[in-house]
């Protein structure tokens, strides 16, 4: 129930904002203000106390009185002469009330287009004593509503709503007026207006919305109960969507379906058609579904070992959400009558200016997306970056932080880093062991063969040395000694572990050479100081 009350308050605030936007966007909005004329139109100096001197004064006076629920005064603007037999003058206030309902339901009136002179509109194809103020389409036929000049004892002639039009009011009200449910709300709701909507309309809207939540809430609770009983990994996230945005969306969809078959005023219908709250519910639902998809895809990438791609999901999802928000706002503005194309054009020009001003930032952002998507480096990797070696500590949105082997920190812009030639040392699956051994020329062929055989056996026995490729060969006669080439791979990616294994192998090689009576000579002949 708290959630329902919160939604009702949200509806009140949203409808008020939507109403103001509607009033600003619809140029033909009806008004009951006698001073609402355009500045360029000269207002007639009325002589009649009810301003019935002109068609505009009559129409404004009638709508003002009806707006104030003063239907006795409103009846004075009706021509009740020569009515059909089934209509009587005593019911004039009832006819005024029905006529107001017909106008509210079906017509937008622009008073600047209604003549404000005693003679009425000229050259409109009608008699001099008659003007039209609107037309209603019913059953494929167009019915015009007329104002008519009638005699008056005080000023000679005044304008009233035509008796011919008044004769059609009961039938029009039966076809175009309010239905039985609305009539009940009208009779049982106090008279008055809130944000230019009848109080009974607010009562009807809130009643429909409350009833929609009463129906939808048990359904969503039942769906949530079934979801929580499953073994789905994301059942908590799904249940939150069901009892949040999905519940609101269902309630508003049901509410709009009811309102579509309910007779309301033209202003209320216009506000409902703007559908700001319904659009917000759709946005909230899609926003939540995008978040759920992000969680599902993130877990999938982590299980696949692609943590880098999982970390890229968040900025991408935020980008998609921003685009969704912009599109929703543009669609709503288009429904209000604004030119979304012009808005997009303005945004395009502004976007170009912003892009030029933030060129470097955009390049770094693109570089960041490249580093995340291609993943040439990851946090913790030891790499060579254009002649320097260091460990990646953080890949930010603008730059990457690298800790060098000297323990200093370097920040490299991602746009520059994406163009560098990067040697990723941490991506090695094994480390190469390669050395050239030089023996003294006094070494015999038998000693040389035994040394190469024992060294190869040493490598074959070692647990870290791969079986292939493994080569221990007599390379040839070098300038300073007999050269033996040793080539192998150690199956580790840890540099310290490799160094300990390489040290162990090199000590063993020295022992083998010494056991066979030979010795290792340097590249340059060693000269004793005593010599």
């Amino acid at each position: 129930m708290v959630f329902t009350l919160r939604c009702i308050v949200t509806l009140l605030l949203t409808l008020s904002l939507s109403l103001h936007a509607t009033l600003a966007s619809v140029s033909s909005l009806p008004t009951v203000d006698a001073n609402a004329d355009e500045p360029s139109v000269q207002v007639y100096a009325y002589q009649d106390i009810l301003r019935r001197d002109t068609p505009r004064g009559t129409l404004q006076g009638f709508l003002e009185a009806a707006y104030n629920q003063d239907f006795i005064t409103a009846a004075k603007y009706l021509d009740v002469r020569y009515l059909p037999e089934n209509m009587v003058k005593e019911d004039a206030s009832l006819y005024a009330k029905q006529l107001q309902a017909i106008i509210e339901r079906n017509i937008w009136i622009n008073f600047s287009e209604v003549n404000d002179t005693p003679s009425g509109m000229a050259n409109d194809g009608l008699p001099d004593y008659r003007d039209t103020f609107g037309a209603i389409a019913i059953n494929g036929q167009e019915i015009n509503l007329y104002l008519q000049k009638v005699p008056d004892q005080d000023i000679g002639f005044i304008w009233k709503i035509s008796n011919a039009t008044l004769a059609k009011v009961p039938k029009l009200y039966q076809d175009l007026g309010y239905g039985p449910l609305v009539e009940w709300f009208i009779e049982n709701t106090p008279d008055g207006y809130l944000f230019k909507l009848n109080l009974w309309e607010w009562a009807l809207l809130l009643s429909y919305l409350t009833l929609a939540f009463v129906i939808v809430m048990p359904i969503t609770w039942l769906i949530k109960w079934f979801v929580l009983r499953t073994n789905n990994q994301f059942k908590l996230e799904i249940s939150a969507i069901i009892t949040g945005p999905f519940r609101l969306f269902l309630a508003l969809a049901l509410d709009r379906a009811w309102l579509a078959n309910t007779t309301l005023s033209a202003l209320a219908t216009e506000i409902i058609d703007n559908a700001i709250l319904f659009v917000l519910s759709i946005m909230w639902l899609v926003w939540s579904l995008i978040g759920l998809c992000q969680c599902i895809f993130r877990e999938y990438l982590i299980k696949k070992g692609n943590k880098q791609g999982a970390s890229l999901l968040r900025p991408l999802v935020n980008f998609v959400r921003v685009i969704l928000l912009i599109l929703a706002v543009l669609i709503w503005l288009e429904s209000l009558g604004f030119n979304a194309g012009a808005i997009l054009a303005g945004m395009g020009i502004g976007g170009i200016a912003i892009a030029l001003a933030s060129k470097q930032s955009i390049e770094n952002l693109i570089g960041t997306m490249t580093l995340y998507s291609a993943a040439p480096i990851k946090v913790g990797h030891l790499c060579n970056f254009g002649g320097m070696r260091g460990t990646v500590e953080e890949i930010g949105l603008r730059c990457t932080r690298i800790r060098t082997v000297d323990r200093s920190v370097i920040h490299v812009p991602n746009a520059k880093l994406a163009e560098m030639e990067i040697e990723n040392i941490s991506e090695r699956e094994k480390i190469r062991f390669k050395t050239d051994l030089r023996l003294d020329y006094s070494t015999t062929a038998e000693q040389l063969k035994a040394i190469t055989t024992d060294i190869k056996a040493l490598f074959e026995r070692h647990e870290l040395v791969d079986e292939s490729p493994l080569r221990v060969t007599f390379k040839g006669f070098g300038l300073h000694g007999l050269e033996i080439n040793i080539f192998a791979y150690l199956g580790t990616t840890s540099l310290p572990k490799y160094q300990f294994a390489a040290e162990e192998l090199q000590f063993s090689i020295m022992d083998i050479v010494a056991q066979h009576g030979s010795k290792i000579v340097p590249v340059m002949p060693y000269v004793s100081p005593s010599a």
Side-chain angles (χ1 to χ4, degrees), residues 315-423:
L316 288 179
V317 167
N318 289 337
F319 177 76
V320 172
R321 282 175 168 173
V322 169
I323 296 298
L324 171 66
L325 180 62
I326 294 174
L327 288 176
V329 171
L330 289 176
I331 292 173
W332 180 59
L333 290 176
E334 184 77 23
S335 69
L336 290 179
F338 293 94
N339 190 343
I343 296 175
L344 282 175
M347 291 175 60
I349 296 174
I352 292 174
I354 294 174
L356 292 175
S358 57
K359 175 176 175 292
Q360 193 64 40
S361 300
I362 294 176
E363 288 180 356
N364 288 328
L365 180 60
I366 295 175
T368 301
M369 297 178 65
T370 302
L371 291 177
Y372 273 105
S373 58
I377 57 173
K378 297 179 181 179
V379 175
H381 281 185
L382 177 66
C383 304
N384 285 327
F385 306 92
M388 66 176 179
R389 175 175 292 191
T391 303
V392 179
E393 288 193 343
E394 180 184 2
I395 303 176
L397 291 178
R398 191 191 71 83
C399 61
T400 297
R401 187 174 68 190
I402 300 171
R403 178 80 63 177
T404 67
V405 292
D406 296 328
R407 308 308 298 162
S408 60
V409 175
I410 298 176
H411 292 85
V412 183
N414 291 334
K416 182 178 179 181
L417 189 63
E419 297 177 356
M420 279 187 181
E421 182 178 334
I422 301 174
E423 179 188 0

Side-chain angles (χ1 to χ4, degrees), residues 18 22 119 128 134 166 255 294 462:
S18 179
T22 304
S119 59
D128 294 340
L166 191 60
D255 183 51
Q294 176 189 356
H462 200 279

Side-chain angles (χ1 to χ4, degrees), residues 461-483:
R461 291 194 303 269
H462 200 279
E463 59 182 1
L464 290 181
V465 178
D466 288 353
E467 296 181 359
S468 178
L470 173 58
R471 297 191 299 271
V472 181
T473 57
F474 175 41
K475 185 177 179 181
F477 305 94
L479 181 61
H480 306 290
L482 303 173
E483 295 183 354

Side-chain angles (χ1 to χ4, degrees), residues 231-243:
N231 296 324
N232 193 295
Q233 181 181 359
F234 305 98
K235 58 185 179 182
L236 293 178
E237 290 82 357
I238 296 174
S239 61
I241 293 175
I242 292 173
T243 56

